[in-house]
Amino acid sequence: SSRQALEQARVATEELDDMKAVVKGLEEENTELRRQARHAEKEQHSLCSQAEGLQEERLLAEGQGLREQVQAQAARMASLEVSSATVATVARAGGAG
């Protein structure tokens, strides 16, 4: 009977040691997962910042493109005004002759 009790105690101790090992493994895994989560969070923050920067660059480039289009259109209109003024001056001069 006491031999049986000792055997049960030995088995219980082995099971407890096994459970401690499992708990330790789970704690280490939990620590690693937390570290990975922190790293992923930092990476996500960095990617968000990059995306905002790219969006800003895209908007600035679009704005620059629109400015260039407006300037080109203004130059064409000025050229047309000069041409029409020249035509009018030539027409008046031709009509006077």
Side-chain angles (χ1 to χ4, degrees):
S1 180
S2 65
R3 187 176 293 153
Q4 191 177 4
L6 283 173
E7 180 64 19
Q8 287 176 343
R10 187 186 62 76
V11 169
T13 302
E14 286 178 6
E15 288 177 356
L16 182 60
D17 287 343
D18 289 348
M19 286 184 189
K20 284 180 181 177
V22 168
V23 167
K24 186 175 185 203
L26 290 172
E27 286 173 344
E28 290 172 358
E29 188 178 347
N30 189 25
T31 300
E32 175 62 17
L33 289 172
R34 286 177 186 268
R35 187 194 65 75
Q36 288 178 10
R38 279 194 304 273
H39 178 73
E41 199 173 320
K42 287 179 185 174
E43 200 169 320
Q44 181 185 14
H45 182 72
S46 173
L47 288 172
C48 285
S49 296
Q50 285 179 5
E52 287 173 11
L54 289 172
Q55 177 98 359
E56 203 170 303
E57 282 181 32
R58 183 181 65 80
L59 290 173
L60 288 172
E62 284 180 9
Q64 180 63 31
L66 290 173
R67 268 194 298 279
E68 290 170 2
Q69 287 178 16
V70 167
Q71 289 170 349
Q73 190 67 23
R76 279 195 294 275
M77 290 179 70
S79 172
L80 289 172
E81 287 173 5
V82 168
S83 295
S84 64
T86 303
V87 168
T89 302
V90 170
R92 277 197 302 273

